[in-house]
């Protein structure tokens, strides 16, 4: 699921093969987007909110017009399930990660493939753009995090340290750091420029499923299969466990 940039809509993807748009204020359904032939794994809004991108186990990435709910383009190139999709902050590119071990970059203007990024030895679990749109980060079941140049498709860094699959990755707001979560129960902080590990954040007792930076970059949040959510101070890297009924 994801909010539109103006916060007025929510998009969701489902096992029923559909993408749905909802009014974030009233909760009313706005559009049902049909076109995928298998479950929808990932969805994202474009920066202007006029388009939605979705990835599916049918191996395709679909681009949609949010005003009329119509498909604009089926982006084909992956040879296995698409696990993650995202728009670049400048709106010029889409990135997708797949169980085929590749990361694909797509041009949103001509709706065509730009680069196929190869290097992972196993399924790609999550992809994300840097805030300046110049880099992509990918996490994989091969236990690594990789950084890529979006202009050339060249690999920049391979971040190694996790002892199990990497489930989630995110850039800091200033693009200088990366956070990753893993089935090894840890959250790791990395220097985006050098690829050097900065800190291993320990506290979860089960696999970490999701990580994110706060908008000011001062905090990191992580969610885990241990039924807890933890807040970490990005400077001193200490955590606070949030009271939860998960």
């Amino acid at each position: 699921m994801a909010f539109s940039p103006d916060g007025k809509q929510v998009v969701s993807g489902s096992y029923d093969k559909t993408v749905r748009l909802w009014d974030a204020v009233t909760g009313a359904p706005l559009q049902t987007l049909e076109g995928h032939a298998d479950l929808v794994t990932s969805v994202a809004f474009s920066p202007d909110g006029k388009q939605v991108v979705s990835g599916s186990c049918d191996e395709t990435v679909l681009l949609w017009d949010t005003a009329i709910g119509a498909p604009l383009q089926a982006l084909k190139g992956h040879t296995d399930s698409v696990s993650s999709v995202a728009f670049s902050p400048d709106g010029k590119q889409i990135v997708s990660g797949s169980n085929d071990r590749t990361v694909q970059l797509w041009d949103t203007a001509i709706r065509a493939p730009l680069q196929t990024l190869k290097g992972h030895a196993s399924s790609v679990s999550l992809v994300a753009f840097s805030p300046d749109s110049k880099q992509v980060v990918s996490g994989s079941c091969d236990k690594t995090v990789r950084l890529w140049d979006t202009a050339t498709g060249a690999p920049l860094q391979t971040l190694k340290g996790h002892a199990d699959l990497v489930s989630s990755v995110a850039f800091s707001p200033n693009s200088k750091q990366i956070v990753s979560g893993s089935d090894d129960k840890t959250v790791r902080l990395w220097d985006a420029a050098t690829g050097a590990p900065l800190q291993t954040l320990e506290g979860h007792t089960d696999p970490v499923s999701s990580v994110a930076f706060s908008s000011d970059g001062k905090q990191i949040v992580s969610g885990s299969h241990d039924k807890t959510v933890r807040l970490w101070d990005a400077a001193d890297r200490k955590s606070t466990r949030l009271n939860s009924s998960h």
Side-chain angles (χ1 to χ4, degrees):
M1 292 189 293
F3 274 100
S4 60
D6 62 9
K8 294 180 179 180
Q9 295 183 33
V10 169
V11 63
S12 61
S14 172
Y15 276 75
D16 67 8
K17 309 176 188 178
T18 69
V19 175
R20 290 176 185 260
L21 290 173
W22 311 84
D23 187 300
V25 177
T26 67
L30 300 173
Q31 302 278 359
T32 299
L33 314 181
E34 297 180 311
H36 282 298
D38 206 336
L39 67 92
V40 179
T41 56
S42 183
V43 289
F45 272 98
S46 62
D48 62 8
K50 294 180 179 180
Q51 296 179 350
V52 159
V53 64
S54 56
S56 168
C57 286
D58 66 10
E59 304 177 6
T60 69
V61 175
L62 292 184
L63 196 60
W64 309 85
D65 185 301
T66 59
I68 60 176
L72 297 172
Q73 188 74 35
L75 307 177
K76 298 180 179 181
H78 286 297
T79 58
D80 206 336
S81 299
V82 178
S83 54
S84 180
V85 293
F87 268 96
S88 61
D90 63 12
K92 295 180 179 179
Q93 295 183 16
I94 290 167
V95 65
S96 55
S98 169
N99 288 354
D100 67 10
R101 306 179 185 180
T102 71
V103 175
Q104 295 264 5
L105 286 173
W106 312 85
D107 187 300
T108 58
I110 61 174
R111 299 165 189 168
L114 289 172
Q115 306 278 354
T116 300
L117 314 181
K118 297 180 180 180
H120 281 298
S122 189
S123 301
V124 177
S125 50
L126 198 135
V127 290
F129 277 97
S130 60
D132 60 12
S133 299
K134 293 181 179 179
Q135 297 180 23
V136 159
V137 62
S138 55
S140 169
C141 293
D142 67 8
K143 308 176 187 177
T144 70
V145 176
R146 287 179 181 259
L147 277 174
W148 313 85
D149 185 296
T150 58
T152 65
L156 298 173
Q157 304 284 351
T158 300
L159 314 182
K160 297 181 179 180
H162 282 297
D164 207 333
L165 68 87
V166 178
S167 56
S168 185
V169 288
F171 271 97
S172 62
N174 63 8
S175 300
K176 292 183 178 180
Q177 295 182 352
I178 291 164
V179 64
S180 58
S182 169
D183 273 18
D184 67 8
K185 308 175 188 178
T186 70
V187 175
R188 290 179 184 255
L189 199 60
W190 312 84
D191 185 297
T194 66
L198 298 174
Q199 191 75 31
T200 300
L201 310 180
E202 297 178 307
H204 286 296
T205 58
D206 271 317
V208 178
S209 54
S210 184
V211 291
F213 273 95
S214 61
S215 58
D216 61 8
K218 294 181 179 180
Q219 292 183 309
I220 293 165
V221 65
S222 57
S224 168
H225 290 283
D226 65 11
K227 304 178 184 178
T228 70
V229 175
R230 286 183 177 265
L231 276 177
W232 309 82
D233 187 298
D236 65 22
R237 287 116 197 201
K238 294 179 180 178
S239 76
T240 300
R241 175 176 165 170
L242 301 183
N243 291 327
S244 173
S245 58
H246 285 301

